Amino acid sequence: MNLARTDHPFTIAGKTYSSRLLVGTGKYKDMEETRLAIEASGAEIVTVAVRRTNIGQNKDEPNLLDVISPDRYTILPNTAGCYDAESAIRTCRLARELLGDHTLVKLEILADQKTLFPNVVETLKAAKVLVDEGFDVMVYTSDDPIIARELEAIGCIAVMPLAGLIGTGLGICNPYNLRIILEEAKIPVLVDAGVGTASDATIAMEMGCAAVLMNSAIANAQQPILMAQAMRHAIEAGRLAYLAGRMPKKLYASASSPLDGMIG
Amino acid sequence: MHIQLNGETYALSGPLSVAGLLEHLQLAGRRVAVELNFEIVPRSQYETTHLKDGDALEVVHAIGGG
């Protein structure tokens, strides 16, 4: 059986990217560390949150979009922190205006603060409205293959199941569900959330994910900029291994050195 | 008159457009987006959109997030 695969470009909303690593901009020490880590990661798509401006405060504070320029990066505004469809939809509309007719969004609706698990009921509702309004919706969801299928049917452009809960760094907790999602989906599947270290990202890519989105794994590392570099290599290694097709696993040994020509 | 600005009551001394308010808040020209009573106010309409007593205004920007 030949498991080798041919590569195909990573395309999101009509634009092709060479990096399959998407990174968040939260949890960094300061703007400079954010900038350096994102540069080191090689990411071309960068998530941001949309929040109320602090009225009367921090007027001279640098704006994130001045540091992470939309001219250089594809900005992926998220709806993180939203717990219902209505606030997520409002956030996406504000993001579209903020970024100047920008239709690419990451839809994320949470269910409770302890788990930050996706609320798929509200997510399905919001996805329908946003797709109808012309948004290109990349959707954060649980690792439920049936929900992933529904979100694809609604017209989301990428489905992004969690590997583990947000910010836990537990890695891919349910690889079999992820495999089913990967086998069924016709749109890109990205792992979003739960990655803890480079090997987690590599495993996701070896399994055939189109890309991986992460924030905490880089920002919460002891040395974020170094971890950003590690993640860049991990994603590339995983993708290459996926394309190469791994050797079959065997129970018994198989010598790598030929037996012919042995002395004695 | 009073408006709700980002969830807080905010007093205005006289009639003001969205553009005027952003100027007053030193947010003119910054990367922000505005929602008035649950509807987006496009940048092109900041000058012509006038605030009324009781209006609910949201002014947002991008910050770090995952």
Side-chain angles (χ1 to χ4, degrees):
Chain A
M1 183 170 60
N2 182 7
L3 287 173
R5 300 171 173 100
T6 47
D7 201 5
H8 54 84
F10 175 49
T11 303
I12 291 291
K15 191 167 171 194
T16 296
Y17 297 91
S18 53
S19 170
R20 291 174 181 269
L21 174 57
L22 287 71
V23 294
T25 51
K27 299 181 176 174
Y28 288 98
K29 189 174 71 188
D30 52 33
M31 289 275 188
E32 183 60 6
E33 190 183 64
T34 312
R35 185 181 71 78
L36 291 172
I38 287 164
E39 259 181 34
S41 76
E44 297 164 295
I45 303 177
V46 174
T47 66
V48 302
V50 177
R51 290 290 181 276
R52 287 170 163 169
T53 51
N54 295 318
I55 300 301
Q57 294 170 31
N58 309 323
K59 287 190 182 60
D60 302 321
E61 197 179 88
N63 187 301
L64 179 65
L65 295 180
D66 296 334
V67 178
I68 309 299
S69 167
D71 299 332
R72 176 165 176 192
Y73 298 99
T74 294
I75 305 296
L76 179 59
N78 71 24
T79 64
C82 291
Y83 284 82
D84 58 74
E86 194 201 338
S87 57
I89 293 163
R90 283 172 70 197
T91 301
C92 288
R93 290 172 182 156
L94 280 164
R96 175 157 63 183
E97 176 62 20
L98 181 65
L99 295 165
D101 255 345
H102 178 100
T103 55
L104 186 66
V105 290
K106 171 183 160 181
L107 174 62
E108 167 179 333
I109 302 180
L110 305 173
D112 73 48
Q113 293 188 359
K114 189 173 178 183
T115 65
L116 299 180
F117 210 75
N119 181 330
V120 295
V121 177
E122 292 295 307
T123 301
L124 287 164
K125 268 196 259 179
K128 279 196 191 95
V129 173
L130 291 169
V131 168
D132 283 350
E133 290 188 12
F135 283 96
D136 295 307
V137 181
M138 301 178 77
V139 59
Y140 173 63
T141 183
S142 62
D143 55 14
D144 179 334
I146 308 307
I147 299 297
R149 186 198 292 164
E150 290 292 323
L151 289 164
E152 178 173 348
I154 285 170
C156 293
I157 63 158
V159 64
M160 308 199 290
L162 50 78
L165 300 183
I166 294 172
T168 59
L170 287 174
I172 301 171
C173 296
N174 202 341
Y176 301 103
N177 274 19
L178 184 58
R179 255 173 70 181
I180 296 172
I181 294 173
L182 283 161
E183 274 182 27
E184 293 205 340
K186 306 277 188 295
I187 55 176
V189 176
L190 286 77
V191 153
D192 180 1
V195 166
T197 188
S199 52
D200 297 333
T202 302
I203 291 167
M205 294 306 294
E206 284 174 353
M207 289 177 69
C209 288
V212 176
L213 199 167
M214 65 179 77
N215 191 154
S216 307
I218 297 174
N220 288 351
Q222 302 304 309
Q223 295 192 56
I225 297 156
L226 200 54
M227 186 57 92
Q229 257 181 294
M231 289 301 184
R232 176 187 200 149
H233 291 297
I235 294 287
E236 285 171 9
R239 179 66 184 175
L240 291 174
Y242 166 75
L243 294 173
R246 60 153 300 144
M247 63 163 282
K249 289 183 182 179
K250 285 182 275 191
L251 185 58
Y252 291 104
S254 164
S256 297
S257 306
L259 294 176
D260 289 350
M262 294 280 292
I263 56 167
Chain B
M1 67 175 186
H2 293 85
I3 61 167
Q4 288 295 309
L5 175 59
N6 286 358
E8 309 269 342
T9 303
Y10 194 85
L12 298 180
S13 50
L16 207 57
S17 65
V18 169
L21 179 68
L22 292 179
E23 190 74 45
H24 175 69
L25 297 171
Q26 294 179 262
L27 289 171
R30 307 274 302 214
R31 292 178 195 266
V32 295
V34 176
E35 182 197 68
L36 176 61
N37 301 331
F38 297 89
E39 300 284 340
I40 299 293
V41 184
R43 207 154 303 174
S44 59
Q45 292 172 22
Y46 286 176
E47 294 283 351
T48 54
T49 304
H50 295 279
L51 298 170
K52 300 183 302 298
D53 194 45
D55 274 348
L57 202 75
E58 297 284 349
V59 182
V60 302
H61 64 161
I63 63 158

